[in-house]
Amino acid sequence: NAGVMQNPRHLVRRRGQEARLRCSPMKGHSHVYWYRQLPEEGLKFMVYLQKENIIDESGMPKERFSAEFPKEGPSILRIQQVVRGDSAAYFCASSLRVGQGNNEQFFGPGTRLTVL
Amino acid sequence: GNSVTQMEGPVTLSEEAFLTINCTYTATGYPSLFWYVQYPGEGLQLLLKATKADDKGSNKGFEATYRKETTSFHLEKGSVQVSDSAVYFCALSFGNNNDMRFGAGTRLTVKP
């Protein structure tokens, strides 16, 4: 059973371009989470999605950032008109179901975004 | 709101030394508590977890006990190895939405 897959692993963009980050959850997992890790900092929650629904986007900037998790295909985190401050590692995690004892999140290897 | 505070690093120890990384939490109710480890260039891996008060999570020689009275979940290991060098994150998960709140991370370096 493959783990959480993220691609690309490294992404370089110039200011003003768009960045699209992909996450394929573990097989059977329908809950996906995106986190951002700035250099030398911890992970900050961005958004929680289930298939075709955004459940909690309280950690996501209101502008330029969007996320989706379509019925078919990977979850996408999209950053429009990137700025240097967007440079970070973006981690995706997935879980099988919510609830006590069943809420372990499995993390992907991350996408390291560098904005020039 | 729900949050986690963990000991600031970096922490540098000699091989076979005793390790403690402090973690305290603030939450309404009773969250599940976790320790994750991040090796250089990799994503986070679950190290151990505890889902209710007085539970002890353990893995690879690491232990942490869920202490409701002190709202703590300190990570300990009796004898660290060079291969334990990594960043350790304390986290809580609470509520039906399952989103996690992470501490800032503690970088551990173990020297031979």
Side-chain angles (χ1 to χ4, degrees):
Chain A
N1 186 10
V4 178
M5 310 286 286
Q6 289 188 249
N7 69 83
R9 293 292 306 275
H10 300 274
L11 182 61
V12 179
R13 286 287 179 266
R14 297 191 180 280
R15 280 180 298 170
Q17 291 184 318
E18 178 180 287
R20 292 172 71 88
L21 288 61
R22 295 175 187 77
C23 169
S24 296
M26 286 183 70
K27 187 176 180 181
H29 286 194
S30 58
H31 303 261
V32 166
Y33 315 80
W34 285 94
Y35 297 86
R36 176 164 62 177
Q37 184 181 34
L38 295 171
E40 302 301 317
E41 292 189 15
L43 274 73
K44 300 295 185 186
F45 167 78
M46 297 182 73
V47 61
Y48 161 46
L49 310 102
Q50 293 182 31
K51 281 287 187 181
E52 301 183 273
N53 292 302
I54 295 175
I55 307 301
D56 181 354
E57 56 182 348
S58 59
M60 200 149 71
K62 293 288 186 279
E63 298 179 352
R64 302 187 299 109
F65 285 72
S66 62
E68 63 178 14
F69 188 18
K71 187 177 180 181
E72 301 291 337
S75 175
I76 306 288
L77 179 67
R78 182 181 177 207
I79 311 172
Q80 295 177 288
Q81 299 175 321
V82 296
V83 300
R84 289 217 173 101
D86 297 332
S87 296
Y90 292 82
F91 290 95
C92 169
S94 72
S95 68
L96 181 60
R97 64 174 70 90
V98 298
Q100 290 289 343
N102 293 307
N103 52 5
E104 180 180 345
Q105 294 185 15
F106 295 83
F107 282 79
T111 294
R112 280 157 181 80
L113 172 65
T114 301
V115 179
L116 302 177
Chain B
N2 302 319
S3 64
V4 171
T5 302
Q6 66 180 99
M7 186 172 114
E8 286 189 23
V11 174
T12 302
L13 296 174
S14 297
E15 208 164 21
E16 299 183 5
F18 184 85
L19 169 72
T20 300
I21 301 178
N22 289 341
C23 171
T24 57
Y25 68 88
T26 301
T28 51
Y30 305 104
S32 294
L33 300 174
F34 306 81
W35 277 100
Y36 280 83
V37 58
Q38 184 181 30
Y39 298 103
E42 298 184 11
L44 275 69
Q45 302 173 26
L46 179 65
L47 181 59
L48 54 84
K49 69 177 182 180
T51 57
K52 60 182 187 298
D54 299 325
D55 269 2
K56 177 187 282 189
S58 61
N59 185 26
K60 300 180 181 179
F62 291 89
E63 292 183 341
T65 301
Y66 190 140
R67 301 280 188 205
K68 188 177 70 172
E69 62 276 12
T70 54
T71 60
S72 65
F73 193 55
H74 304 321
L75 182 68
E76 296 182 336
K77 186 173 184 180
S79 176
V80 293
Q81 306 300 312
V82 173
S83 57
D84 293 327
S85 297
V87 181
Y88 292 82
F89 292 93
C90 186
L92 67 80
S93 174
F94 184 74
N96 293 329
N97 279 351
N98 210 27
D99 63 47
M100 299 192 79
R101 296 290 182 252
F102 285 86
T106 302
R107 182 178 298 279
L108 170 66
T109 301
V110 180
K111 299 190 178 234

